[in-house]
């Protein structure tokens, strides 16, 4: 089914972010660095295993991610992995891995996640849970800094509650209006936020 844009929506992004900022005061440890400089996103073929949890990426719905570490690859990555790339079955695994390795002194050059503004996504019922389609082509990825995420919606991904990203803030607002959730940017994602997703 083609996703639809909704013109009526709930709280503005500014209101949601202000509320989160107040609730997160003093709890900003674990904010991510990283940037935009690094290799371009690459397509995944689905056979890869998530470097955070070990699940096979192509077997699950929802947003996926990848991060490039170059010569500063975390020791957990296999030797010889080109560009020190790590790949992930979900956006929550992406952020958990990035945060954990940044705390250990390994900062990614750049990282990407699925951009649902760039694809015709589908929602489907999976045993009573609404899940969103996965998209593994390089063209479906956007830099984490360019995404507005919908967190805690009633739509799930590979690891349950998810961070569903859109390069269009309007698309994110429309999705949240229809499916619930809060709007976040890359800089808002902390350990506390991930913990609130049950991750």
């Amino acid at each position: 089914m083609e996703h639809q844009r909704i013109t009526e929506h709930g709280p503005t992004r500014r209101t949601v972010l202000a509320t989160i900022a107040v609730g997160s005061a003093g709890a900003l440890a674990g904010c991510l660095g990283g940037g935009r400089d690094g290799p371009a996103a690459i397509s995944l073929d689905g056979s890869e295993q998530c470097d955070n949890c070990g699940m096979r990426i192509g077997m699950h719905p929802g947003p996926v991610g990848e991060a490039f570490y170059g010569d500063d690859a975390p020791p957990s990555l296999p030797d010889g992995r080109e560009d020190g790339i790590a790949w992930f079955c979900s956006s929550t695994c992406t952020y958990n891995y990035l945060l954990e390795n940044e705390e250990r002194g390994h900062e990614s050059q750049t990282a990407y996640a699925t951009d649902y503004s760039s694809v015709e996504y589908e929602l489907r019922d999976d045993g009573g849970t609404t899940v969103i389609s996965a998209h593994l082509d390089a063209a479906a990825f956007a830099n984490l800094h360019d995404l507005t995420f919908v967190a805690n919606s009633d739509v799930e991904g590979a690891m349950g509650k998810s961070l569903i990203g859109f390069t269009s803030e309007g698309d994110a607002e429309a999705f949240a209006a229809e499916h619930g959730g809060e709007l976040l940017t890359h800089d808002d994602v902390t350990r506390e936020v991930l913990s609130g997703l049950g991750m």
Side-chain angles (χ1 to χ4, degrees):
M1 107 177 74
E2 183 175 318
H3 68 276
Q4 51 184 305
R5 299 177 194 265
I6 299 171
T7 55
E8 295 179 20
H9 48 80
T12 66
R13 177 174 175 260
R14 182 174 305 203
T15 301
V16 171
L17 292 179
T19 302
I20 291 167
V22 170
S24 300
L28 295 177
C31 256
L32 282 169
R36 299 171 188 279
D37 295 331
I42 65 167
S43 297
L44 304 178
D45 66 18
S47 67
E48 300 89 353
Q49 289 187 311
C50 177
D51 285 308
N52 187 65
C53 73
M55 290 178 18
R56 180 167 285 180
I57 292 171
M59 296 179 65
H60 303 281
V64 299
E66 54 189 35
F68 293 87
Y69 284 89
D71 294 334
D72 190 30
S76 60
L77 285 182
D79 289 339
R81 179 90 60 88
E82 188 174 347
D83 293 323
I85 186 174
W87 42 67
F88 310 102
C89 68
S90 68
S91 51
T92 48
C93 277
T94 302
Y95 274 105
N96 274 316
Y97 190 91
L98 291 171
L99 284 163
E100 179 178 335
N101 282 288
E102 187 168 281
E103 290 165 3
R104 294 178 177 177
H106 301 280
E107 186 174 309
S108 69
Q109 296 173 337
T110 192
Y112 301 92
T114 308
D115 169 22
Y116 283 93
S117 290
S118 71
V119 297
E120 293 298 324
Y121 62 82
E122 294 181 354
L123 302 178
R124 64 178 173 82
D125 180 84
D126 183 13
T129 299
T130 302
V131 296
I132 193 166
S133 53
H135 300 271
L136 308 182
D137 292 336
F141 288 100
N143 190 284
L144 295 181
H145 290 273
D146 296 329
L147 294 168
T148 299
F149 295 100
V150 180
N152 284 313
S153 74
D154 59 13
V155 177
E156 298 188 358
M159 299 297 286
K161 293 288 186 183
S162 198
L163 297 168
I164 300 172
F166 299 86
T167 49
S168 164
E169 186 177 328
D171 289 348
E173 290 173 341
F175 189 89
E178 184 171 1
H179 302 289
E182 306 163 322
L183 302 187
L184 304 173
T185 66
H186 170 70
D187 292 334
D188 298 318
V189 181
T190 63
R191 289 277 195 195
E192 292 74 20
V193 167
L194 296 173
S195 179
L197 293 171
M199 300 306 297

